[in-house]
Amino acid sequence: MLGAEISIMEYFTEQNIELLLERFRSLGPLPGILLTFLKSFVPPLPTIMIVGANAAIYGLWLGFLYSWIGLVTGSFLTFWLFRKASDTPFIQRWAVRPKVRMAMVWAQRNGFSFVFLLSMLPIGPFVVINMAAGLTRMPTVSFAAAVTLGKGVMVFCVSYIGMHLSEFIAQPVKLIGVALFIAASIWLNRRLQAYFTSSAAVASEPSNTME
């Protein structure tokens, strides 16, 4: 499994993604939308590279739109599937795993803010977020609003960087800002997960005591 993920990461370089999009550009927006859509089902796919490549190939606004549609649609479909299948034996066995249970507690306690804040980051456990929200039967309208807004912020930032990548390369000083943006996203993602984890621990204390 790990070997397959490494192979995917090795193939999906920014150059290869742009060549792929250029090759199938005759299909219109479908390649750009499909690649970002698949992110919800193939976690190893690099969000930053795909969104940046969309902006480089289609332009800032169309690239933003295609990436946003793909990510939001994929997130919503994952949420909907797990919401519908939450009572099946297979999903129930999967839901008792420690990491999944923790994410479900995050979603139950924080709802909109949990999905919105983590959706704004270009790096994070997006698939788990969508699944946990579906398993806890988070209100559909709240999930849709949180994902739509959060992904919109993230996609625009990454699209802008991808669209102006040549400028960043020509002026290495600007690359520091890009590096800081990515580093800040990773740091903030970990801080938010730590916050939600502590909230989940506090929430589980009463039930543990009662048992």
Side-chain angles (χ1 to χ4, degrees):
M1 185 68 176
L2 181 58
E5 291 185 3
I6 293 175
S7 298
I8 291 174
M9 292 297 291
E10 288 178 348
Y11 176 78
F12 280 98
T13 63
E14 186 171 358
Q15 183 178 11
N16 285 344
I17 293 172
E18 290 187 11
L19 288 173
L20 184 66
L21 291 173
E22 194 66 58
R23 181 179 180 182
F24 294 99
R25 195 168 183 177
S26 60
L27 297 176
L30 290 180
I33 293 175
L34 181 60
L35 274 179
T36 48
F37 173 82
L38 288 175
K39 172 64 185 178
S40 295
F41 302 92
V42 187
L45 291 178
T47 305
I48 294 178
M49 291 184 182
I50 294 175
V51 173
N54 271 349
I57 296 298
Y58 296 107
L60 176 60
W61 293 110
L62 285 179
F64 161 79
L65 180 63
Y66 300 158
S67 295
W68 179 76
I69 290 174
L71 287 172
V72 170
T73 304
S75 297
F76 191 79
L77 181 59
T78 307
F79 165 81
W80 182 81
L81 288 174
F82 272 77
R83 183 183 175 90
K84 290 296 183 181
S86 60
D87 294 328
T88 62
F90 173 77
I91 298 299
Q92 286 296 319
R93 287 195 298 270
W94 182 83
V96 298
R97 296 181 179 181
K99 289 185 179 180
V100 179
R101 290 183 63 187
M102 185 68 72
M104 289 173 64
V105 175
W106 297 347
Q108 286 175 331
R109 282 183 56 82
N110 301 281
F112 181 91
S113 60
F114 166 69
V115 176
F116 172 69
L117 291 174
L118 291 178
S119 292
M120 283 198 302
L121 305 177
I123 300 172
F126 305 124
V127 178
V128 175
I129 294 169
N130 301 332
M131 291 177 176
L135 289 172
T136 57
R137 297 183 177 276
M138 178 179 173
T140 302
V141 174
S142 295
F143 177 82
V147 167
T148 298
L149 295 173
K151 295 295 185 188
V153 173
M154 182 271 286
V155 171
F156 181 79
C157 292
V158 177
S159 296
Y160 182 84
I161 293 173
M163 184 64 183
H164 297 83
L165 187 60
S166 59
E167 296 179 15
F168 288 108
I169 294 175
Q171 302 179 45
V173 175
K174 290 186 176 181
L175 285 174
I176 298 176
V178 177
L180 289 175
F181 171 70
I182 296 173
S185 297
I186 296 173
W187 177 83
L188 187 56
N189 175 64
R190 290 177 177 175
R191 292 292 296 175
L192 287 172
Q193 289 191 57
Y195 167 75
F196 288 127
T197 299
S198 62
S199 297
V202 171
S204 63
E205 285 179 0
S207 59
N208 291 336
T209 302
M210 289 178 68
E211 293 174 357

